[in-house]
Amino acid sequence: MGKMFIAFFILFMTIVLNSVNAQEKEVTYTYDKFGIINQYTNNMVLEVNDVLKFVKRKGNSFFIQLAHPMNPPAYSLFVSLKGYDELNEKYVYIGDAIVGIDIKEGLIYKGKCLIKSSKNLDAFLNNIGYNYEYTYSKDLSFSVYFKNMRTSKEGYIPQMPYTFVEVFPIKNKSEQEREEKLLREKRKQEWEKREFERKEKEIKRKEEEVINILSTANRQNIKEQVCTYFENKLLKDSEYWDVLAKPQKKEIKTTTDVLIHIDSLQTNIVQIDKEIINYDLDFLHRKASHYCTINGTNYYKYQNHIFYIEKVDIKTKPLEKGIYGVERKKGKLKYYQTVPKEIQEWCQSNIIKNGFQAIEYSNYDGQYTIKPITVTKDVKRRFKEKILKKLKRHGRLLVSFVAMLY
């Protein structure tokens, strides 16, 4: 039943429109846009970018279509003038109404409608309505009241949801206005194109400037400075190593962020691994702003100073640090471990007093740093325990050496 009604409705609308268009083409007018108020818009005009069609039939009979029938809700009104209400100063039209809520589901309402308007509906056949920028009032609008609406869908008789609608026709733009709009859009596109080309040219100029400056950078020197920084860090950290139990051997292998400053004269490191190296350049860097981006790297500029962050891979050489024990007796040096020749040469020149002494050494890339250390009772005890264990493993016990430790 519902499908039959839909087919009938579409066929009926086609016949009516074709008949109207054939007979009354000169009194047909379509608005491209209109405003609407119903019980859901909270008394605010909701603008609709869809069609509002007026077709004058015989006498004061009209067909009014709001929106496209396939784009619900669509209102199709067939009304005739019934008179003028002098008390309310309104023209009154009564007729049939068809509202398409959801044609696919068959929710099409059919019933009566009452239209009231301060203007005769003939007025709306002459592009009379509101300009886009004006505030809406009731003067150029018409109200539609729906009565006794019923759905065509079998077994479904809901209350009509659109009991009232206020329609505000919006004047179509004139040919001159449309031409002016097209001209503005064309000028805008041309300006945007010129602006894009200008920006592209400026970006290219900045990139070339930075590339030229980067070509003067001493990247090898940067690598060496960063490596020296981590070498010094390794040496400083070694001051807290516990080397009494056994020698320690460590290196640093990392990838770090390096903030680099460069201008046409020099290359400097500002910051390594979040530690500020040059406070004067760091002050300038905080004033710099983004200048350009090349291959994913951001470059910042202040006056003629360029700053950027570069990732640097670092691997230091191993640093070894430990303690040796040596005894001088009767002008001879006795070592209790295998000692490198560099340490032996140092001991020959620096161990003068008889008795046991402990020395601390560090070896970085074959460069030895050696110094005597104070032998406390705790140090002697730990040396004693370590050497006793080593001698017992070899099945020997040097009583004279053990006694010397006390």
Side-chain angles (χ1 to χ4, degrees), residues 190-231:
E190 290 174 350
W191 178 86
E192 289 176 346
K193 181 181 178 181
R194 290 195 303 271
E195 186 65 11
F196 176 79
E197 292 174 349
R198 184 193 66 79
K199 289 181 178 179
E200 287 291 300
K201 186 176 180 180
E202 179 65 9
I203 289 172
K204 186 176 181 180
R205 182 193 67 79
K206 290 179 177 180
E207 289 178 350
E208 290 176 351
E209 177 189 350
V210 170
I211 290 172
N212 288 335
I213 294 177
L214 289 175
S215 65
T216 66
N218 189 338
R219 296 188 177 277
Q220 183 60 35
N221 182 258
I222 293 173
K223 179 90 172 181
E224 291 173 357
Q225 289 186 58
V226 176
C227 189
T228 299
Y229 168 85
F230 280 99
E231 289 173 354

Side-chain angles (χ1 to χ4, degrees), residues 161-209:
Y162 301 96
T163 57
F164 165 80
V165 140
E166 184 92 12
V167 181
F168 300 81
I170 297 176
K171 292 175 64 175
N172 287 342
K173 292 185 176 181
S174 66
E175 187 66 28
Q176 180 182 352
E177 288 176 312
R178 286 193 290 268
E179 289 177 356
E180 289 175 350
K181 180 182 178 182
L182 290 174
L183 182 60
R184 286 195 299 271
E185 290 177 350
K186 182 179 179 180
R187 287 174 177 172
K188 181 181 177 182
Q189 292 174 358
E190 290 174 350
W191 178 86
E192 289 176 346
K193 181 181 178 181
R194 290 195 303 271
E195 186 65 11
F196 176 79
E197 292 174 349
R198 184 193 66 79
K199 289 181 178 179
E200 287 291 300
K201 186 176 180 180
E202 179 65 9
I203 289 172
K204 186 176 181 180
R205 182 193 67 79
K206 290 179 177 180
E207 289 178 350
E208 290 176 351
E209 177 189 350

Side-chain angles (χ1 to χ4, degrees), residues 45-57:
V45 177
L46 174 67
E47 292 188 355
V48 180
N49 290 312
D50 218 321
V51 297
L52 169 61
K53 176 178 281 190
F54 288 88
V55 180
K56 186 175 181 180
R57 304 162 73 189

Side-chain angles (χ1 to χ4, degrees), residues 351-366:
I351 301 298
I352 300 174
K353 295 182 180 179
N354 290 328
F356 174 82
Q357 293 189 47
I359 59 170
E360 181 184 274
Y361 74 93
S362 61
N363 175 16
Y364 187 76
D365 193 26

